[in-house]
Amino acid sequence: MKRKVLLIYTGGTIGMEKDYSTGSLVPFNFENIFSKIPEMNLLDCEVVVHSFEKPVDSSDVGPNEWKNIAQIIEKEYHHYDGVLILHGTDTMSYTASALSFMLKGLRKPVILTGSQLPIGDLRTDAKENLLTSLNYACLYENDEAVVQEVAVYFEYKLLRGNRTLKYSAEYFDAYQSPNYPILGQSGVHLNYDRDALYRPDGTPFSVDLHLSQNVLFWRIFPGMSMELIPDLPKIKVLILQVFGSGTIYSDASTERILRKIRENGTEIVVVSQCVSGGISFGKYENSNIFNKIGAISGRDMTEESAITKAMHLLDNPNYTGTFAENFVQNLSGEISGD
């Protein structure tokens, strides 16, 4: 049976070409993608293109665009075997993470990809990323999708979406998944690690569009005045990115300020500045402060995942229990150990 893939084009470098009269990059009509990449006609799947009415630079992508993508998928979910989202690279990890929480009970692949060079460039990485992503999006065995989660494909690697981060603006190999193994790798064969692939529980597919923007991310640095934080406008979730496995200044003033923030009703989530590894309260004396004030450990989540998970859970009526109880749950493979 020939599989059917919905290709959602949102914008980004992958859909650009050079205007030789000006030398600038401009978006082309993505409906003509088959003429740009005639190899797509050789794929053993049917590809239907759905383009955003106006392509969006990934730096402009946020909650409204995430909801738009999720609604398109919700509408078309039962008509396609897989979904491929073409996206700018700068915020792709945020979008992948957000969608992983919004799309419940996925039984089909939702894969994001993009490129570092435009599709018309002589040395572009766009063709390989696009063609192999389509292969993964229609990869089935025994009438079951091999990938049943939101994933990012880039430079021969398939990665769990909510475990990714963009670490290079220069190299084709631009994405990492430092705290989780790669899901698959393309070479002569299209490989995948069955044990690493996520499998949802028995809940049916549904879409939860709830996203709160009452979340703030704050990176701690040596010499920073903690006195600045209480002067911020009232926020409901403060994500603190701290040192190592969860340490912060040990002075009494820091504890007093953080305790005051908690007493004002703000949840504090703690994530690490380290790319690899995660938070472990109590490992060092200077992390015990977070246990004292009732902060939430972000464990080994990426900052993109922690931010979008907080936005999704905060004041979400579709969840029972407290924000803290829900945040520490492994909702879609974003944390290790569960």
Side-chain angles (χ1 to χ4, degrees):
M1 180 178 72
K2 197 166 188 178
R3 299 292 172 181
K4 193 173 180 181
V5 176
L6 175 64
L7 191 158
I8 302 173
Y9 172 61
T10 68
T13 300
I14 195 168
M16 302 292 232
E17 61 184 352
K18 183 173 286 188
D19 182 341
Y20 288 97
S21 64
T22 64
S24 300
L25 292 175
V26 294
F28 68 84
N29 183 353
F30 217 84
E31 302 294 334
N32 299 326
I33 184 62
F34 293 94
S35 64
K36 296 287 182 182
I37 308 181
E39 296 93 331
M40 287 177 64
N41 295 297
L42 302 176
L43 292 168
D44 191 25
C45 66
E46 179 185 351
V47 180
V48 177
V49 177
H50 179 110
S51 295
F52 272 23
E53 187 173 335
K54 182 179 179 183
V56 183
D57 187 282
S58 68
S59 60
D60 286 322
V61 172
N64 288 336
E65 288 71 31
W66 302 338
K67 291 177 184 179
N68 188 0
I69 295 168
Q71 287 173 319
I72 294 169
I73 294 173
E74 181 178 34
K75 180 182 177 183
E76 302 292 354
Y77 182 78
H78 297 291
H79 302 145
Y80 293 89
D81 298 293
V83 177
L84 174 60
I85 301 164
L86 301 186
H87 195 289
T89 60
D90 287 343
T91 62
M92 190 188 301
S93 290
Y94 288 94
T95 299
S97 296
L99 290 175
S100 77
F101 302 122
M102 299 166 73
L103 304 175
K104 312 290 189 185
L106 268 178
R107 297 293 188 281
K108 301 176 182 181
V110 174
I111 297 174
L112 292 90
T113 196
S115 64
Q116 295 284 63
L117 290 175
I119 213 161
D121 196 283
L122 183 62
R123 297 179 50 252
T124 186
D125 54 331
K127 288 187 177 182
E128 196 283 322
N129 286 347
L130 175 56
L131 291 170
T132 307
S133 293
L134 285 169
N135 275 289
Y136 273 116
C138 64
L139 186 61
Y140 274 65
E141 284 189 352
N142 300 320
D143 209 32
E144 180 182 72
V146 170
V147 179
Q148 299 182 21
E149 59 182 287
V150 179
V152 167
Y153 179 82
F154 220 86
E155 189 64 9
Y156 306 111
K157 294 182 295 187
L158 185 70
L159 309 170
R160 175 161 297 162
N162 58 31
R163 294 293 196 128
T164 63
L165 55 88
K166 183 181 179 183
Y167 81 100
S168 176
E170 177 71 15
Y171 298 112
F172 287 153
D173 187 12
Y175 284 84
Q176 287 184 344
S177 175
N179 289 324
Y180 197 76
I182 63 174
L183 305 181
Q185 192 158 10
S186 66
V188 175
H189 301 288
L190 206 62
N191 299 309
Y192 59 90
D193 182 349
R194 187 175 294 278
D195 292 334
L197 291 165
Y198 184 76
R199 285 295 180 263
D201 59 21
T203 58
F205 173 74
S206 64
V207 175
D208 185 342
L209 297 175
H210 182 89
L211 292 165
S212 170
Q213 292 177 249
N214 205 343
V215 173
L216 180 68
F217 182 86
W218 195 281
R219 182 181 173 98
I220 299 297
F221 60 88
M224 187 186 99
S225 173
M226 296 293 289
E227 300 287 348
L228 294 171
I229 298 181
D231 292 336
L232 295 169
K234 179 68 171 65
I235 52 170
K236 290 192 174 183
V237 177
L238 172 64
I239 300 175
L240 282 181
Q241 191 181 44
V242 302
F243 310 125
S245 57
T247 60
I248 196 171
Y249 332 115
S250 60
D251 58 283
S253 174
T254 297
E255 182 173 344
R256 173 182 56 80
I257 291 168
L258 292 179
R259 193 177 295 279
K260 180 181 178 183
I261 293 169
R262 289 287 293 119
E263 289 171 351
N264 286 339
T266 298
E267 299 283 1
I268 296 178
V269 174
V270 182
V271 297
S272 177
Q273 294 177 13
C274 296
V275 171
S276 179
I279 297 298
S280 180
F281 292 162
K283 184 175 181 180
Y284 295 99
E285 178 65 27
N286 279 29
S287 66
N288 286 330
I289 182 175
F290 295 118
N291 280 326
K292 291 178 183 178
I293 66 170
I296 304 165
S297 172
R299 292 162 64 177
D300 64 347
M301 273 191 284
T302 64
E303 60 190 68
E304 295 91 341
S305 186
I307 291 167
T308 55
K309 185 176 184 178
M311 294 172 73
H312 178 65
L313 290 176
L314 181 58
D315 296 329
N316 190 331
N318 297 313
Y319 287 82
T320 58
T322 66
F323 174 87
E325 290 170 342
N326 290 318
F327 193 89
V328 298
Q329 299 300 313
N330 188 8
L331 301 182
S332 55
E334 72 278 6
I335 50 179
S336 300
D338 287 355

